[in-house]
Amino acid sequence: MVYPHSKPSKWTFSSYTILKTAEQAPRTPSFADQLIEADNGLGEVMKPPEKSFWAKYWMYIIPLGLIVMNAVTAAANIPEEAAGQGQPGAERAPAAAAGRRR
């Protein structure tokens, strides 16, 4: 019995590949070369300016701010009746009983 998705006994390909090379780019000075020049006094390496607190830690401040804002809005959306009473579901009991009588 031959299945339509069976593998052939011999594989044949008629494709070929061509490898092309280009000229090599000129070598650029590496970080180690810059350090050696700085030690020799040939070139002066400038340090990058120090970042501010907000620039360093913005990725931690923004999610924390969103979490705090979410907590504040959730606390503000609590119904005043539920906050004042000890039982938040006390009003629902008569409505549920009236629905069963019908």
Side-chain angles (χ1 to χ4, degrees):
M1 179 175 202
V2 177
Y3 296 105
H5 296 289
S6 64
K7 297 179 185 178
S9 60
K10 184 178 179 184
W11 295 90
T12 58
F13 297 98
S14 61
S15 62
Y16 58 94
T17 59
I18 297 175
L19 178 64
K20 292 184 178 182
T21 58
E23 291 183 22
Q24 189 174 8
R27 185 172 175 264
T28 58
S30 67
F31 181 70
D33 293 339
Q34 291 175 358
L35 287 176
I36 292 171
E37 288 178 7
D39 288 342
N40 294 338
L42 299 174
E44 187 172 326
V45 178
M46 293 180 58
K47 294 181 182 176
E50 189 170 334
K51 294 181 180 180
S52 69
F53 175 80
W54 298 107
K56 286 182 187 177
Y57 301 111
W58 68 268
M59 76 272 308
Y60 302 112
I61 294 170
I62 290 176
L64 182 65
L66 291 173
I67 290 169
V68 168
M69 286 174 37
N70 190 12
V72 168
T73 55
N77 288 336
I78 295 175
E80 294 173 4
E81 302 93 31
Q85 296 177 357
Q87 300 171 350
E91 285 188 23
R92 292 186 184 187
R100 288 188 211 146
R101 284 188 233 152
R102 291 184 185 183

